[in-house]
Amino acid sequence: MGILSSIFDKLRGRGSSPQAQPTTTASSQPSGQPGQQATLENVDVDKVLADMASKKGGGGNYRESIVDLLKLLDLDSSLNARKELAAELNVNAAAHGSAEQNIALHNAVMRKVAENGGKVPESMKH
């Protein structure tokens, strides 16, 4: 799953408590079957991201911006990376790099996180 699985890995690796962290890792997940074993059950996404942002001295507008979210997670936020993410999620809201496309990407990522068991606050689901 490329970038999306990297996002999941970053969120999973920083779960809110040791008991809440799933034991499934990317290396134990069969290739070609994205997301079937690796879930985000019990991961409080807002808490994980807020903790990461506080350690980095901010985090920008990660609650709404896909670019800031990717940067916070130490992932590639370039236009090419966002094009790849859009292809993974089948997001075609507007021209690549446009505000509309970036907002749609952030929303799609948060939907996928929630679909895979992550606790995403309503304010980040748009």
Side-chain angles (χ1 to χ4, degrees):
M1 237 194 208
I3 296 172
L4 187 60
S5 69
S6 295
I7 292 169
F8 283 15
D9 288 344
K10 294 283 186 168
L11 293 172
R12 213 178 7 262
R14 298 176 195 264
S16 57
S17 69
Q19 296 84 11
Q21 292 180 357
T23 55
T24 303
T25 62
S27 61
S28 67
Q29 180 177 338
S31 59
Q33 296 180 10
Q36 289 186 0
Q37 290 183 8
T39 66
L40 295 166
E41 289 298 323
N42 299 316
V43 174
D44 183 338
V45 174
D46 195 35
K47 181 180 181 340
V48 170
L49 294 174
D51 289 348
M52 292 174 85
S54 71
K55 290 176 185 170
K56 291 186 174 190
N61 188 18
Y62 66 86
R63 286 183 169 92
E64 296 177 4
S65 167
I66 190 66
V67 173
D68 289 347
L69 177 64
L70 293 171
K71 285 180 181 179
L72 180 63
L73 296 171
D74 293 322
L75 297 172
D76 184 1
S77 63
S78 69
L79 179 58
N80 283 337
R82 286 179 280 134
K83 284 180 182 179
E84 181 182 328
L85 183 59
E88 285 181 48
L89 297 171
N90 197 27
V91 173
N92 300 298
H96 290 294
S98 69
E100 293 85 4
Q101 179 74 346
N102 288 339
I103 290 167
L105 272 176
H106 191 280
N107 292 342
V109 166
M110 289 300 125
R111 272 193 307 276
K112 284 292 185 185
V113 167
E115 286 171 9
N116 283 277
K119 296 177 185 174
V120 179
E122 289 301 317
S123 63
M124 291 177 71
K125 290 182 183 177
H126 301 289

